[in-house]
Amino acid sequence: MGVADLTGSTTTLAPPFPALGRGRLDTLQVNLGYRCNQSCSHCHVNAGPSRTEMMGSDTIALVPEVLEARGIASLDLTGGAPELHPGFRDLVRQARGLGVAVIDRCNLTILSEPGQEDLAAFLARQGVKVVASLPCYLADNVDRQRGDGVFERSLAGLRQLNALGYGEAGSGLELDLVYNPQGPSLPPPQAALEADYRRELADRFGLRFNRLFTITNMPIQRFAAVLRQRGQLEDYMALLRQHHNPANLAQVMCRSTVSVDWQGFLYDCDFNQMLGLPAGSGQPRAHLRQLLDQDPEGAPIAVAEHCFGCTAGAGSSCGGALS
């Protein structure tokens, strides 16, 4: 598969991305829908307030069944803004009742949306791990990437979470932040940037968090369109290929995570989902219900040129840098 199939670029890769196979399934990442209260420039989902795609009740009911059948340790809820799905809270309760760890990929501003005033308290009661987007500790940079006023609303969300114990040592309430570069560049070293975030957020705003995840912007969907418009897509693809680190292949998230779209179809990762690349190289689309009696361990993983975004430099996953 050439780069033109995914990004609109015409560059030919040599060599292609290495073949990969699945390990043990540890995390089920479920996209509850593409509706969001924000429209971020780096969003690989093209999420926004006008999107109407949303997981149906029959499909969402399968999620706890699959968690139990496969002995899955973690449920990773994403979107859009997953909290906008009317079944979000019931799903969280059911998963926690099974002893499954739940991750909420939260944009922070959702905590101040009308009707969501008690959301932070709900997440705390359920012991949900919050992974929150905050692409910088400077207002101008955040608002440029995510919209006017988002930085101040994000700080307000962090204050809500901190007041409930999130980010406090020994509380059991984990709050991790996510950094995305402003443009077509690799993230800086994660440990050094985390120290900067910790210092700046504490000194300037009295805020705390547990960890910072640095995530590479993937050359797909909205971000790819912006790069193409600026004539930067070819150079960015070359940057990712040139910095490919084979040592990261053992830890890429697709080895232990299955991504589920709002219709219940399976993908090897959230990025493949957005590109319509079904789970398993060359295989027909599989559905969530198939995980009730089929173990995906050992299955091939669908790979293409955008996968270099996960292995470039220190590597990138939903859990931050790989090395």
Side-chain angles (χ1 to χ4, degrees):
M1 187 179 295
V3 175
D5 298 320
L6 302 179
T7 66
S9 166
T10 56
T11 300
T12 300
L13 288 183
F17 194 84
L20 292 174
R22 287 195 155 276
R24 186 185 184 281
L25 178 58
D26 177 73
T27 300
L28 192 69
Q29 186 174 69
V30 178
N31 191 312
L32 293 177
Y34 302 156
R35 183 182 168 211
C36 190
N37 60 317
Q38 296 181 182
S39 296
C40 302
S41 62
H42 67 284
C43 181
H44 67 276
V45 181
N46 274 346
S50 64
R51 298 298 294 265
T52 59
E53 299 91 337
M54 187 172 292
M55 183 172 284
S57 57
D58 289 347
T59 303
I60 206 169
L62 285 171
V63 174
E65 294 183 41
V66 169
L67 294 173
E68 191 168 21
R70 295 264 66 85
I72 296 172
S74 180
L75 173 63
D76 189 342
L77 297 175
T78 184
E83 306 90 347
L84 290 176
H85 193 291
F88 171 81
R89 298 194 189 196
D90 281 344
L91 179 57
V92 169
R93 293 187 189 99
Q94 290 179 66
R96 295 298 291 137
L98 294 171
V100 173
V102 175
I103 300 168
D104 177 28
R105 296 203 174 262
C106 179
N107 65 23
L108 292 175
T109 64
I110 194 67
L111 298 172
S112 57
E113 285 290 309
Q116 301 291 343
E117 293 85 358
D118 64 338
L119 175 59
F122 168 79
L123 297 174
R125 284 196 305 272
Q126 295 296 323
V128 173
K129 174 181 175 180
V130 175
V131 177
S133 300
L134 190 69
C136 189
Y137 47 76
L138 299 175
D140 288 348
N141 288 344
V142 173
D143 288 354
R144 186 181 309 118
Q145 189 181 79
R146 311 191 74 193
D148 290 343
V150 168
F151 183 70
E152 286 302 325
R153 290 183 66 194
S154 296
L155 294 185
L158 288 174
R159 291 188 186 101
Q160 281 191 60
L161 294 170
N162 279 180
L164 292 163
Y166 274 99
E168 182 179 334
S171 71
L173 296 175
E174 189 167 347
L175 171 60
D176 297 330
L177 303 182
V178 174
Y179 164 89
N180 293 86
Q182 292 291 309
S185 60
L186 293 177
Q190 183 167 283
L193 187 60
E194 180 180 291
D196 290 342
Y197 263 69
R198 199 175 301 283
R199 181 187 66 252
E200 294 293 326
L201 290 178
D203 291 351
R204 298 172 64 197
F205 308 109
L207 297 171
R208 61 184 183 273
F209 63 95
N210 293 98
R211 293 181 296 170
L212 177 74
F213 298 151
T214 56
I215 297 182
T216 300
N217 289 328
M218 297 300 285
I220 61 176
Q221 298 288 39
R222 187 177 292 157
F223 185 62
V226 170
L227 294 184
R228 190 180 299 112
Q229 184 180 32
R230 296 174 179 171
Q232 298 175 318
L233 184 57
E234 296 278 356
D235 288 343
Y236 188 57
M237 291 300 303
L239 175 74
L240 298 180
R241 293 194 301 271
Q242 290 164 6
H243 288 83
H244 170 64
N245 181 359
N248 290 324
L249 290 170
Q251 301 179 71
V252 286
M253 61 188 176
C254 54
R255 288 191 179 273
S256 60
T257 299
V258 165
S259 175
V260 186
D261 75 4
W262 65 275
Q263 299 175 93
F265 291 109
L266 305 184
Y267 300 84
D268 290 309
C269 72
D270 193 42
F271 307 121
N272 283 7
Q273 180 187 143
M274 295 306 115
L275 292 168
L277 298 178
S281 180
Q283 302 297 314
R285 278 204 306 185
H287 193 271
L288 180 62
R289 68 177 65 92
Q290 292 173 239
L291 290 180
L292 290 172
D293 52 19
Q294 295 179 17
D295 187 344
E297 185 170 1
I301 292 170
V303 298
E305 287 77 10
H306 65 286
C307 298
F308 285 103
C310 289
T311 60
S316 178
S317 76
C318 287
L322 301 176
S323 61

